[in-house]
């Protein structure tokens, strides 16, 4: 398994994805707690978001998962402004919840998350050697659905799930390693 110190930085055309660290807490705390960002995230996210929410997330969830080699978390930064965290993207082992992300409001709608999702999907299949990637999302989260659609994923199941914004129809999206490689090379 990959250990925390073995998680590489990744790059896309416009982004640098840096492994998450405690130094990212202040930027996360400033950007993350907005209803437009959290409403379709898992109910495990506390809302209203507490003043120490980012530090708690890093200390109790992200960094331990990275150290155990079961989770991979990156901060997203524009190459043009590498000091500014603009969002997060994560991979984790599990049956139906392998990738999650959020992007700060000023950077939404520019295709940045599609770039980041492609980079970490490459990592999931090519570096970690996984055979399938699954991601849940609220069916009403059209922006996230578009990222999955453009990434060649398909819905395999629908069920009700609890989100910060309440109980919603949730879709489980999937792509296999073989499907991803065909999609990536098309």
């Amino acid at each position: 398994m990959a250990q925390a110190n073995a998680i590489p930085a990744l790059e896309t055309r416009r982004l640098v994805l840096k492994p998450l660290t405690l130094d990212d807490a202040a930027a996360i705390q400033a950007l993350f707690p907005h209803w437009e960002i959290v409403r379709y995230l898992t109910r495990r996210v506390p809302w209203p978001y507490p003043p120490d929410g980012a530090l708690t997330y890093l200390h109790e969830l992200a960094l331990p998962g990275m150290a155990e080699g079961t989770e991979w978390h990156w901060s997203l930064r524009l190459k043009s402004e590498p000091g500014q965290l603009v969002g997060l993207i994560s991979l984790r082992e599990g049956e139906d919840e392998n990738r999650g992300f959020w992007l700060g409001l000023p950077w939404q709608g520019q295709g940045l998350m599609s770039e980041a999702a492609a980079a970490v999907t490459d990592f999931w299949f090519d570096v970690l050697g996984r055979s399938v990637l699954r991601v849940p999302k609220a069916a009403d989260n059209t922006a996230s659905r578009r990222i999955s659609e453009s990434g060649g994923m398909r819905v395999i199941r629908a069920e009700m799930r609890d989100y910060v914004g309440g109980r919603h129809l949730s879709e489980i999206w999937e792509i296999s390693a073989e499907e991803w490689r065909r999609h990536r090379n098309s």
Side-chain angles (χ1 to χ4, degrees):
M1 288 292 162
Q3 295 301 310
N5 58 7
I7 297 174
L10 305 173
E11 289 192 24
T12 71
R13 184 172 62 84
R14 298 179 290 171
L15 294 169
V16 175
L17 287 68
K18 292 178 59 177
L20 204 54
T21 71
L22 269 180
D23 293 338
D24 296 320
I28 294 168
Q29 191 69 40
L31 287 175
F32 180 70
H34 294 277
W35 184 248
E36 298 86 353
I37 292 173
V38 303
R39 69 180 170 172
Y40 293 126
L41 296 181
T42 177
R43 186 70 190 133
R44 292 184 303 257
V45 173
W47 191 258
Y49 202 62
D52 65 346
L55 272 175
T56 300
Y57 165 73
L58 290 167
H59 277 296
E60 295 181 9
L61 298 171
L63 298 179
M66 291 168 74
E68 292 167 8
T70 59
E71 298 183 15
W72 301 266
H73 299 268
W74 291 270
S75 64
L76 306 179
R77 297 157 187 279
L78 296 174
K79 286 181 175 178
S80 61
E81 294 182 66
Q84 172 67 58
L85 183 147
V86 300
L88 300 185
I89 192 163
S90 303
L91 294 169
R92 66 186 55 82
E93 292 184 354
E95 183 66 28
D96 289 332
E97 297 187 34
N98 303 131
R99 188 181 70 203
F101 51 72
W102 63 267
L103 192 62
L105 297 175
W107 300 278
Q108 292 182 5
Q110 301 173 35
L112 295 170
M113 193 53 75
S114 292
E115 284 184 33
V120 301
T121 301
D122 277 342
F123 184 82
W124 182 256
F125 291 127
D126 297 344
V127 176
L128 299 176
R130 302 302 194 262
S131 60
V132 68
L133 175 78
R134 290 190 183 132
V135 295
K137 56 190 77 237
D140 292 338
N141 190 345
T142 55
S144 186
R145 292 179 89 241
R146 280 193 292 263
I147 291 168
S148 291
E149 289 168 352
S150 69
M153 300 184 85
R154 66 196 180 310
V155 176
I156 61 164
R157 187 171 74 248
E159 61 195 29
M160 296 302 289
R161 286 192 176 200
D162 293 322
Y163 292 90
V164 173
R167 194 153 178 83
H168 293 278
L169 179 65
S170 182
E171 299 170 333
I172 309 300
W173 291 69
E174 177 183 280
I175 192 165
S176 70
E178 180 181 316
E179 290 167 330
W180 173 250
R181 289 181 184 108
R182 277 197 312 266
H183 175 79
R184 181 179 61 192
N185 296 326
S186 63

